[in-house]
């Protein structure tokens, strides 16, 4: 079911989400939550969504990066639910991207993040998985998983002159590329 998206200012976006147990992950209500996340992400055109963005304080995020995504990235990831994920940074090098967020509609901001990480998480059968990723996908994963710890991409913007409305971003930043 498509759920309304919680936006900046809603306290649920600043909560540390509760970790899930195996019993919870295998429950019918969790199956419903997974469907709600998928329906909502597709409806609003996101490449990722975290449970608090639909008002649920549980430690799960969904990411799906198709080969033809609107960010022009060449890397792809099939729909993956990250349950109780933990990130380990593997490299000091970082990369900058103009990020956007369903919870901060209409804005884009320039954020630098580590670009080589390892994510340990539980899958839908509560089997532990490890994923090593580089580049844009590493950035997307860090953005989504931040939501589970009450963080938003705007918290990482070092230079606030690099926060822009979408239309101005397209007119003044994209046109410079
Ligand atoms: Zn977001």
């Amino acid at each position: 079911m498509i759920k309304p998206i919680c936006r900046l200012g809603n306290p649920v976006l600043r909560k540390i989400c509760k970790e899930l147990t195996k019993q919870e992950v295998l429950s019918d209500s969790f199956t419903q939550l997974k469907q709600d996340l998928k329906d909502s992400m597709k409806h609003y055109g996101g490449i990722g969504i975290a449970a608090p963005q639909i008002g649920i304080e549980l430690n799960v995020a969904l990411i799906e990066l198709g080969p033809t995504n609107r960010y022009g990235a060449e890397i792809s990831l099939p729909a993956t639910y990250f349950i109780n994920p933990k990130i380990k940074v593997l490299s000091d090098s970082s990369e900058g991207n103009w990020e956007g967020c369903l919870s901060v509609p209409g804005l884009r901001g320039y954020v630098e993040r580590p670009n080589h990480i390892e994510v340990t998480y539980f899958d839908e059968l509560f089997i532990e998985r490890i994923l090593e990723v580089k580049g844009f996908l590493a950035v997307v994963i860090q953005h989504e998983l931040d939501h589970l710890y009450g963080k938003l991409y705007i918290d990482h913007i070092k230079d606030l002159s690099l926060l822009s409305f979408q239309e101005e971003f397209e007119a003044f930043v994209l046109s410079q590329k």
Side-chain angles (χ1 to χ4, degrees):
M1 189 187 292
I2 297 163
K3 299 284 185 182
I5 297 289
C6 300
R7 299 190 301 172
L8 180 65
N10 188 321
V12 73
L13 295 174
R14 296 305 191 173
K15 296 277 168 59
I16 293 178
C17 291
K18 185 181 158 294
E19 293 211 338
L20 287 144
T21 64
K22 180 174 185 176
Q23 195 181 1
E24 287 169 327
V25 167
L26 300 179
S27 70
D28 289 345
S29 62
F30 192 73
T31 301
Q32 185 62 51
L33 173 59
K34 285 191 295 181
Q35 192 62 46
D36 292 347
L37 285 167
K38 186 173 265 184
D39 293 345
S40 304
M41 182 179 77
K42 292 203 181 296
H43 177 74
Y44 298 109
I47 54 176
I49 193 168
Q53 291 184 279
I54 57 169
I56 307 290
E57 286 173 43
L58 291 176
N59 213 297
V60 55
L62 166 65
I63 297 173
E64 181 174 20
L65 195 55
T68 55
N69 58 79
R70 67 192 172 107
Y71 291 89
E74 287 166 15
I75 196 155
S76 63
L77 181 75
T80 304
Y81 292 93
F82 291 89
I83 296 163
N84 302 344
K86 299 276 183 298
I87 289 178
K88 188 166 126 191
V89 174
L90 295 180
S91 154
D92 286 340
S93 60
S94 63
E95 74 171 63
N97 284 280
W98 284 86
E99 297 190 15
C101 182
L102 296 177
S103 294
V104 192
L107 294 175
R108 297 287 284 264
Y110 189 79
V111 175
E112 289 188 3
R113 298 182 187 268
N115 66 359
H116 187 190
I117 61 168
E118 183 181 276
V119 193
T120 306
Y121 65 100
F122 290 88
D123 70 10
E124 297 165 67
L125 298 173
F126 212 73
I127 294 165
E128 194 171 35
R129 305 269 177 193
I130 298 178
L131 182 66
E132 183 185 340
V133 275
K134 291 181 179 177
F136 182 69
L137 183 56
V139 166
V140 171
I141 290 174
Q142 288 171 85
H143 174 119
E144 277 331 310
L145 303 194
D146 262 1
H147 279 297
L148 306 176
Y149 296 91
K151 285 206 143 236
L152 297 170
Y153 81 87
I154 53 171
D155 304 343
H156 297 291
I157 300 174
K158 288 195 188 119
D159 177 355
L160 278 174
S161 73
L162 300 177
L163 178 63
S164 172
F165 282 104
Q166 177 74 24
E167 289 81 4
E168 272 70 8
F169 166 74
E170 286 167 12
F172 298 107
V173 180
L174 274 191
S175 64
Q176 303 294 308
K177 282 186 178 171

